Amino acid sequence: MIEEGSKRGKAMVEKRQLFMEMRAQNFDVIRLSTYRTACKLRFVQKRCNLHLVDVWNMIEAFRDNGLNTLDHNAEINVSRLETILSSIYYQLNKRLPTTHQINVEQSIGLLLNFMVATYDSESHGKLTVFSMKSMLSTMCGGKIVDKLRYIFSQISDSSGIMMFAKFDQFLREVLKLPTAVFEGPSFGYTEHSVRTCFPQQKIMLNTFLDVLMADPPPQCLVWLPLMHRLANVENVFHPVECSYCRSESMMGFRYRCQQCHGYQLCQSCFWRGHANGPHSNQHQMKEHSSWKSPAKKLSHAISKSLGCVPIGEPPHPVFPEQAERPQELTHTVQPKPVANNMNDTMLMSSGAPTPTKSVLESPSRLDEEHRLIARYAARLAAEAGNSTQQCPPTDLGFNFDANKQQRQLIAELENKNREILQEIQRLRLEHEQASQPTPEKAQQNPTLLTELRLLRHRKDELERRMSALQESRRELMVQLEGLMRLLKDEEQKQASQSGSSPHSSPGHGAGCSMPMPIRSTSAGSTPTHTPQDCLAGVGGDVLEAFAQGVPRNLRNDLLVAADSITNTMSSLVKELHSVDDVGVEEETNMRNGGDRGTLRVQKH
């Protein structure tokens, strides 16, 4: 009982460890809830080493663990969740250099406890597949545009149109993250969150990205892009003095007042609401994530005024709205695996959901096909984006023609590759048919036939020899049985004579009161009346015992003689069986070419 109590206490400490460390960072002194939430979630991300796992590696882990074959509402227990997290972190350590290895067990424990506390508040011991995908794809590393594209692929239909019910489910799951770090009052889920994000009726991929990556984004998700900006500016240096703390340099964000000339604050002072002089916290501040020297600012302004720099750069590349028809890559030769796994690029760029179960029957082949499709789609998207920004409208037709030519070239190469594979298969079948032995080929080899006949003749001889030995053994057993009777009668007679005339010699007067003719293959048929005559044809210990004239117990000697005969018979039987096995193997080898059989027969 004491041991179980200590284990439960240790488990409770592990569950609270991450939250205790987060409280020690004193994030609650940050004045604005948006920055406070983003800082807390960024701390959880780094403490669990999720910032080292790219979104593409996370998608690959989902596929390796078969999550894409499960329904979004399917439940998985905590033990399987721990297995999935283990595969993610062990694969991460394989990619990291040896000097930057992470503590896998500690990372698994921290993340597992955080996920259970976030999504299993009622302690059922189970999480839904969609909850796990939403949390891990949001909290992992990588670009926000890639994460949003993957999320859109999970909440859209086959036509690339977002399903509002799925997006509502996504908001329910993702907004549990701020609640887990005690920011639920500011960013909790409400029934009107979906319509405040998308008042439109038909949402495609580019519209989805425009809304969630806008400045400002929807209020319920304003912390999500800020968390990514925090990751990008952690090591940014600003050679500017803070107007409040008088620090000569800044790290991270830099804030410039839009009303007070030359008034700038570091992120620590701005987050805590510090102000001095004529500046007030009610003034509008502009956030800067990089530093540009005055000379660069002047050159950028001149280039912008001359029209060399586009005025409004899009926040993300423009992706095709409709899903392209997948290329038939069944017969494509598989390339070597690449370092960056682009498994779901085509799915996210087109807005299509994950593949069905029938497509996932061969995951390795499907992954390679997705990599090829992803490269092709990314190249087309990059060319389309460059053409819309740099090329005049008159060049669009040329780009479309080039894309059409590329697709035609791929189709031609696929057909040629299919023909080559069919030819290879045909040649392989012809080779297999030509290499198979036939009975006609075996009959054309006279050496094998001669050796087979000799082997069968030897087998017949051994069978005849074994039959003769078996007959001899039966007759010898009959002789041994007669000898045992004679020996018993002799002992009784000598005992009676010793009782009547004690001075008589034990060896005189000994005879056989019951003469028994004994027929042996070695001695012939001879009627005998003495033990010595009865032992004709029998040697060894039996003859020696009767020749001495002193009666003794010869049971053991007779058994030794019988064992010797039995061993001889066993060796003959083994030799006969070995000949049978050689014969069978010889016939088999004759059918398969005959070379090995010839060597085996010569050896025997």
Side-chain angles (χ1 to χ4, degrees):
M1 295 296 293
I2 298 176
E3 185 178 357
E4 293 180 358
S6 62
K7 289 183 179 179
R8 286 196 296 268
K10 184 179 179 180
M12 293 298 295
V13 171
E14 291 179 351
K15 288 183 178 180
R16 297 175 181 175
Q17 179 182 356
L18 185 63
F19 297 101
M20 293 170 62
E21 294 179 1
M22 185 177 64
R23 288 183 183 275
Q25 300 295 320
N26 200 18
F27 291 122
D28 291 331
V29 301
I30 300 176
R31 180 170 57 96
L32 300 176
S33 61
T34 304
Y35 287 97
R36 192 167 58 242
T37 304
C39 288
K40 290 180 178 180
L41 293 178
R42 174 63 178 169
F43 172 79
V44 174
Q45 182 190 47
K46 294 181 66 177
R47 188 65 183 85
C48 297
N49 290 313
L50 278 176
H51 66 295
L52 301 176
V53 183
D54 192 79
V55 62
W56 305 113
N57 301 126
M58 193 64 73
I59 295 171
E60 183 181 9
F62 293 161
R63 289 185 175 276
D64 292 341
N65 289 277
L67 296 182
N68 284 358
T69 61
L70 300 178
D71 186 75
H72 281 173
N73 296 323
E75 293 182 340
I76 58 176
N77 53 27
V78 177
S79 60
R80 184 175 180 185
L81 175 61
E82 185 176 2
T83 303
I84 296 171
L85 298 182
S86 301
S87 66
I88 293 173
Y89 283 116
Y90 279 112
Q91 290 297 326
L92 171 62
N93 255 356
K94 291 181 181 179
R95 296 189 297 268
L96 293 176
T98 55
T99 55
H100 293 77
Q101 297 287 300
I102 65 171
N103 189 338
V104 174
E105 298 298 331
Q106 185 182 27
S107 301
I108 294 172
L110 291 175
L111 181 56
L112 181 64
N113 291 326
F114 179 75
M115 294 182 67
V116 171
T118 304
Y119 294 100
D120 189 25
S121 57
E122 298 180 359
S123 301
H124 293 305
K126 294 182 179 180
L127 278 75
T128 64
V129 174
F130 191 71
S131 299
M132 189 184 63
K133 283 186 175 182
S134 300
M135 186 272 175
L136 292 178
S137 61
T138 302
M139 294 294 292
C140 68
K143 298 180 180 180
I144 185 173
V145 62
D146 297 331
K147 295 182 181 181
L148 294 177
R149 287 166 61 196
Y150 175 72
I151 291 170
F152 186 82
S153 69
Q154 302 297 303
I155 61 175
S156 59
D157 57 14
S158 58
S159 302
I161 301 175
M162 187 187 76
M163 295 181 287
F164 280 90
K166 285 284 188 180
F167 180 69
D168 181 74
Q169 185 181 3
F170 167 72
L171 286 182
R172 290 176 184 269
E173 302 298 339
V174 78
L175 290 180
K176 291 179 182 179
L177 294 173
T179 305
V181 293
F182 314 107
E183 297 296 335
S186 301
F187 301 103
Y189 171 80
T190 61
E191 297 179 355
H192 306 288
S193 299
V194 176
R195 287 302 172 185
T196 56
C197 295
F198 298 103
Q200 305 95 327
Q201 294 295 328
K202 184 178 180 181
I203 305 300
M204 307 292 285
L205 174 61
N206 291 315
T207 307
F208 180 79
L209 297 177
D210 290 339
V211 172
L212 296 188
M213 298 181 65
D215 189 16
Q219 180 60 31
C220 61
L221 295 174
V222 67
W223 53 270
L224 181 58
L226 178 58
M227 185 177 69
H228 288 79
R229 295 203 305 272
L230 279 173
N232 295 330
V233 301
E234 284 181 347
N235 299 319
V236 174
F237 176 77
H238 303 271
V240 181
E241 182 184 7
C242 178
S243 300
Y244 183 85
C245 66
R246 299 303 175 183
S247 176
E248 296 182 356
S249 61
M250 305 179 188
M251 292 293 292
F253 286 120
R254 174 171 56 91
Y255 299 90
R256 186 182 185 91
C257 182
Q258 302 298 298
Q259 299 182 18
C260 303
H261 178 70
Y263 192 88
Q264 301 187 84
L265 293 176
C266 63
Q267 68 176 18
S268 178
C269 294
F270 175 75
W271 288 356
R272 286 164 174 77
H274 294 162
N276 59 348
H279 178 70
S280 172
N281 287 330
Q282 303 301 322
H283 293 180
Q284 184 179 1
M285 302 289 287
K286 184 176 181 181
E287 178 187 282
H288 294 273
S289 58
S290 61
W291 163 255
K292 291 183 180 179
S293 63
K296 288 185 178 181
K297 290 181 180 179
L298 179 61
S299 62
H300 184 77
I302 294 174
S303 300
K304 189 174 181 179
S305 61
L306 295 177
C308 300
V309 178
I311 298 176
E313 297 182 359
H316 63 84
V318 179
F319 300 98
E321 299 288 358
Q322 296 294 335
E324 295 185 5
R325 183 180 66 85
Q327 299 291 335
E328 176 60 34
L329 300 177
T330 304
H331 303 284
T332 304
V333 179
Q334 304 296 333
K336 294 182 179 180
V338 294
N340 295 327
N341 295 287
M342 304 284 289
N343 293 342
D344 284 10
T345 304
M346 186 61 185
L347 296 175
M348 292 187 291
S349 63
S350 61
T354 55
T356 58
K357 184 176 181 180
S358 60
V359 182
L360 289 171
E361 290 178 353
S362 55
S364 59
R365 177 170 58 83
L366 185 63
D367 289 344
E368 297 294 342
E369 294 176 5
H370 274 295
R371 291 190 183 100
L372 295 176
I373 297 173
R375 292 178 184 176
Y376 178 66
R379 185 172 62 185
L380 292 181
E383 291 175 358
N386 295 333
S387 63
T388 55
Q389 294 180 7
Q390 300 177 1
C391 300
T394 55
D395 295 335
L396 294 178
F398 175 77
N399 287 334
F400 290 149
D401 293 340
N403 294 338
K404 184 177 180 180
Q405 292 176 0
Q406 291 176 355
R407 285 193 291 271
Q408 291 177 352
L409 179 60
I410 290 177
E412 293 176 359
L413 292 176
E414 288 176 359
N415 294 331
K416 186 173 294 186
N417 184 66
R418 191 182 299 109
E419 294 176 358
I420 293 174
L421 291 177
Q422 292 176 355
E423 183 67 18
I424 291 174
Q425 185 68 19
R426 185 183 63 81
L427 293 175
R428 184 178 296 137
L429 291 175
E430 292 181 357
H431 177 71
E432 292 177 355
Q433 293 176 358
S435 61
Q436 290 180 354
T438 57
E440 290 77 6
K441 292 183 180 180
Q443 294 177 1
Q444 293 174 2
N445 195 338
T447 304
L448 294 178
L449 295 176
T450 303
E451 292 177 351
L452 183 60
R453 283 195 295 269
L454 293 175
L455 191 61
R456 289 176 178 173
H457 180 67
R458 186 182 178 188
K459 176 185 176 183
D460 296 337
E461 289 181 353
L462 288 175
E463 288 180 348
R464 289 193 296 271
R465 183 181 175 187
M466 187 182 73
S467 300
L469 287 174
Q470 287 177 348
E471 184 65 25
S472 299
R473 180 174 179 271
R474 285 193 296 269
E475 294 179 357
L476 186 58
M477 292 302 294
V478 172
Q479 290 181 8
L480 291 175
E481 186 178 359
L483 289 174
M484 290 295 293
R485 292 196 185 115
L486 290 175
L487 179 61
K488 185 176 181 181
D489 295 340
E490 182 70 18
E491 288 177 351
Q492 293 177 356
K493 187 175 182 179
Q494 288 182 0
S496 61
Q497 290 179 358
S498 298
S500 60
S501 59
H503 298 285
S504 62
S505 177
H508 293 87
C512 295
S513 61
M514 294 177 64
M516 179 181 293
I518 300 176
R519 183 170 180 264
S520 174
T521 57
S522 58
S525 299
T526 305
T528 58
H529 296 278
T530 63
Q532 287 81 359
D533 294 336
C534 296
L535 295 176
V538 180
D541 295 334
V542 177
L543 182 61
E544 182 181 356
F546 278 93
Q548 291 177 356
V550 180
R552 62 172 185 161
N553 189 3
L554 297 179
R555 185 183 302 273
N556 293 334
D557 297 332
L558 295 175
L559 292 176
V560 168
D563 289 340
S564 176
I565 297 173
T566 303
N567 292 334
T568 304
M569 293 295 299
S570 299
S571 63
L572 287 173
V573 171
K574 290 181 180 179
E575 184 177 0
L576 181 60
H577 285 318
S578 64
V579 171
D580 292 339
D581 295 338
V582 170
V584 173
E585 183 177 359
E586 184 64 25
E587 292 179 357
T588 304
N589 291 334
M590 274 181 42
R591 296 189 182 95
N592 293 331
D595 295 335
R596 291 180 295 174
T598 303
L599 295 176
R600 183 66 180 269
V601 171
Q602 292 175 358
K603 181 178 178 181
H604 282 76

